[in-house]
Amino acid sequence: MRKPLMALAIVVLLMMTVVGGLLPFLQGWIFFVIALYLLASEFETGRDWVMRARRKWPALSRWIAGARNHRWAPRHLRHFDELTDPKLR
C-alpha cells in the first residue's frame, strides 16, 4: 500500500510544481525537488533516474543544493543529495 501512495504523492507534487510555476507566490522548484526526493528514496529505479538526470542537467544539482536550507524542504535532503550525487559514485 505504501508504494501506490508514494506514487500518488509524487504526482501531486509534480502538479504543484506546475502550479508553482504559474503563481508567483509559490516556489515550484521546491515541489519538484521534493518529488525527486520521494522518487529516489522510495524506488530503486528512481534513484538511478535522478542520478542520470543530475549528470545530464547540472542545474538540477544546483536546485537540490539550494533546496537543502529551504523552509519547506524535508530534513533528509542532505541524505538525498549524497544518495544521488553522480560525483560520489
Side-chain angles (χ1 to χ4, degrees):
M1 185 70 179
R2 180 181 169 107
K3 297 288 184 186
L5 288 176
M6 285 299 145
L8 180 65
I10 291 168
V11 169
V12 169
L13 284 167
L14 290 175
M15 288 189 311
M16 289 297 296
T17 301
V18 173
V19 171
L22 297 174
L23 300 174
F25 59 88
L26 283 178
Q27 296 176 344
W29 65 273
I30 190 68
F31 295 113
F32 183 69
V33 170
I34 294 171
L36 289 178
Y37 164 71
L38 286 178
L39 182 68
S41 64
E42 291 294 325
F43 303 99
E44 185 71 32
T45 55
R47 197 170 302 138
D48 296 334
W49 291 346
V50 172
M51 198 175 316
R52 276 189 250 133
R54 287 182 72 172
R55 275 191 202 110
K56 190 171 184 175
W57 298 294
L60 183 59
S61 292
R62 289 192 300 271
W63 283 359
I64 292 171
R68 281 183 177 182
N69 300 322
H70 197 276
R71 63 181 175 192
W72 294 350
R75 289 179 281 144
H76 307 294
L77 270 184
R78 187 171 308 277
H79 174 67
F80 167 62
D81 190 19
E82 295 166 359
L83 188 67
T84 61
D85 191 0
K87 296 175 188 170
L88 298 178
R89 295 218 172 183

